[in-house]
Amino acid sequence: MISASELLTPAQLSIVRARSDWRGLWCVVHAWAVIFGSMALFVWLPNPVTFLVAVALIGARQLGLAILMHDGAHGVLCHNPKLNNFLSQWLCAYPMMAETGAYRRYHLKHHAHTQQAEDPDLILSAPFPITKSSFRRKMIRDLTGQTGYQQRKAQILNALGRPDWPLERRLQNYWTKLGRATICQFVIFAILAISGHWYLYFALWLLPFLTWQQAITRIRNIAEHAMVPDSNDDFRNARTTKANIFERALVAPYWVNYHVEHHLMMWVPCYNLPKTRAFLIANGFGPRIETKSSYAEVLRMATSRPENEDKPGDLAHNARRQRVEGTMGEGFKPSDETA
């Protein structure tokens, strides 16, 4: 792995490694403000257009909460460790049915073995490219809630433990794995119920969570590591994807698109990643960074497999065998990689 001191000057390193309690807090507040603001927009102007806009914006901010949890797992969301952990757990991870510690243990293996056989996320990138038909099936499953339903079902069954366990043991296991996350769901429901709009929990919290958030999480997974040029090159075993204002709002919140920069220096807070990229380019490393101009370009690459090689497969969800507490990398494992 390349040392950061080989990439940036001491002054540059001091700038990009700086963590801010206020910036971390602002990112979390911003995510929740967009979520509740989108709900308020629909209540104010209830029609199909504002409903779809709200679903897309909320789903993107739900992914944003997972991204901020990711920064919390790296310990860089805030300068104060207690504030970092509180925000990451209670305002980011638990609302997303995730857990920072479990995610951290899983995710650090990905950083230690990026694109190698030991990488637990390799399953997310290895099948690509796929056919357009295969990608269409995946998007249909995501946008109709099938992916989200199967993931949450596997997660809940895992938390409940074995059917032959005594009820007390099953409930204790559930509390250990999902108890606090469940409390957060009740709190969100209570807030909306007190506001007089309890139905928004189902229409504009659960629905985006199970649909749009799933679809853009898949797109993010594809963009970050699928079809990278060189699995052994720190500049080319991940990908940075340029994002315009609409992509940042609907697909790539909180600078998640700067993925090469994150892998080169995983201790850089997400809000400092654009500055990190600017320093790398200024220092002459720009041509080495694997970069694509848009998510559309990445998806064209990802769906370049010939249609005559399309072979639908039966889906077998792997959440009970892998990490079920996190959300950043979960997905379906096809029985055939071309599914």
Side-chain angles (χ1 to χ4, degrees), residues 89-114:
Q89 283 285 52
W90 286 100
L91 294 182
C92 298
Y94 290 150
M96 292 298 293
M97 301 296 286
E99 202 281 322
T100 303
Y103 175 73
R104 179 186 294 117
R105 290 188 293 273
Y106 170 93
H107 184 63
L108 291 181
K109 295 178 183 177
H110 165 64
H111 275 279
H113 306 288
T114 305

Side-chain angles (χ1 to χ4, degrees), residues 72-143:
H74 280 289
V76 299
L77 180 61
C78 298
H79 177 72
N80 184 297
K82 291 183 178 179
L83 181 61
N84 179 89
N85 293 338
F86 173 78
L87 293 177
S88 179
Q89 283 285 52
W90 286 100
L91 294 182
C92 298
Y94 290 150
M96 292 298 293
M97 301 296 286
E99 202 281 322
T100 303
Y103 175 73
R104 179 186 294 117
R105 290 188 293 273
Y106 170 93
H107 184 63
L108 291 181
K109 295 178 183 177
H110 165 64
H111 275 279
H113 306 288
T114 305
Q115 290 298 105
Q116 305 302 309
E118 302 89 347
D119 184 354
D121 279 350
L122 191 60
I123 187 176
L124 299 171
S125 59
F128 292 91
I130 58 175
T131 65
K132 289 182 174 62
S133 295
S134 176
F135 182 72
R136 189 180 308 115
R137 290 193 295 272
K138 288 173 171 56
M139 285 293 102
I140 290 173
R141 290 195 296 266
D142 292 345
L143 294 173

Side-chain angles (χ1 to χ4, degrees), residues 290-318:
E290 167 63 9
T291 305
K292 293 301 177 187
S293 61
S294 68
Y295 281 88
E297 180 182 3
V298 174
L299 291 180
R300 284 194 293 271
M301 291 172 51
T303 57
S304 61
R305 191 168 182 171
E307 284 295 318
N308 60 9
E309 296 181 18
D310 185 58
K311 184 181 178 183
D314 295 327
L315 290 173
H317 193 264
N318 63 344

